[in-house]
Amino acid sequence: MGFLLLILTILLIDLGIKSVIEEGDPAGFPRELEGTGGLVMLHKKHNDGLPMGAFRDKPEFVKNVPIMVLSAVAGIFFWLYPKKGHLAEKLGTSLVLGGGLSNVYDRVKRGFVVDYFSIQYKKLKKVVFNVGDICIFAGALILLAAEIMDNRSGRSAR
C-alpha cells in the first residue's frame, strides 16, 4: 500500500505546484525560491516537446510515446507489486509512475508540461525541471542500480 501512496503523493504534489505556478503572473518569473540562497530559481515554462523540447514539432508522438512508456512501467509495477521483496524495483517504478503520471496528465490536459525550477549550478542552470522529472530520474537511477546489483550477485530480478 505504501508504494501506491507514494505514487499518489508525487502526483498530487507535482500537480499542485504546477497549478500554483500556472496561476502566477508570468512577469514574476524567473525568481529566486526564498530560503535557497539563490541555488533554486522558479520559472514558468511550458514544454510542448519531450525532455529538452525534443520533437515539439510532432505533438501526437510527444503525447503518445510517454503514455506507452508509462503503460509499460505500470505493467511492471503491478507485476512486481504482489511479490515479496523487490523493494528497490518497486520504489524505482513508483517514482517513475508518480512523476510520469503528472507529466502525462499535463500533456493530455494542457498540451504541454509545466516546468518550474532550475538549480543554479554549472550547466544545470539552463535546465528547467519539475518534481515529476526529478522523480522519474531518481526512479530510473534506482532501477539501474538494482539491476547492476542483481547482475553482480548473479541473481536476476526477473
Side-chain angles (χ1 to χ4, degrees):
M1 183 61 109
F3 293 109
L4 293 172
L5 287 174
L6 176 60
I7 293 166
L8 183 61
T9 300
I10 293 166
L11 173 64
L12 294 177
I13 286 172
D14 198 35
L15 289 177
I17 295 170
K18 289 173 178 179
S19 290
V20 169
I21 293 294
E22 281 298 279
E23 291 169 5
D25 180 5
F29 297 96
R31 69 175 183 259
E32 180 182 325
L33 178 63
E34 290 181 34
T36 65
L39 182 62
V40 179
M41 294 293 288
L42 292 177
H43 300 265
K44 185 175 185 175
K45 295 275 187 180
H46 296 162
N47 183 357
D48 56 357
L50 290 176
M52 310 304 280
F55 297 104
R56 69 173 23 121
D57 59 333
K58 298 185 182 333
E60 285 303 307
F61 179 81
V62 167
K63 184 167 65 171
N64 291 327
V65 167
I67 290 171
M68 289 186 289
V69 170
L70 197 60
S71 296
V73 173
I76 293 167
F77 174 81
F78 286 109
W79 174 73
L80 284 170
Y81 190 72
K83 297 178 182 279
K84 289 188 181 218
H86 302 280
L87 294 178
E89 292 88 348
K90 290 176 185 176
L91 176 60
T93 56
S94 295
L95 290 168
V96 171
L97 282 173
L101 284 168
S102 176
N103 286 344
V104 163
Y105 175 88
D106 269 5
R107 288 190 194 290
V108 171
K109 183 80 172 167
R110 303 178 204 261
F112 53 83
V113 173
V114 178
D115 291 325
Y116 50 82
F117 76 92
S118 64
I119 310 291
Q120 299 302 294
Y121 182 76
K122 297 187 179 185
K123 292 184 179 184
L124 284 177
K125 291 179 182 182
K126 298 178 182 179
V127 183
V128 182
F129 305 94
N130 60 49
V131 168
D133 297 335
I134 298 302
C135 290
I136 292 166
F137 182 74
L141 284 179
I142 290 168
L143 291 168
L144 177 63
E147 185 66 26
I148 290 169
M149 297 305 286
D150 282 346
N151 286 337
R152 284 193 177 163
S153 67
R155 295 177 304 187
S156 176
R158 291 165 221 347

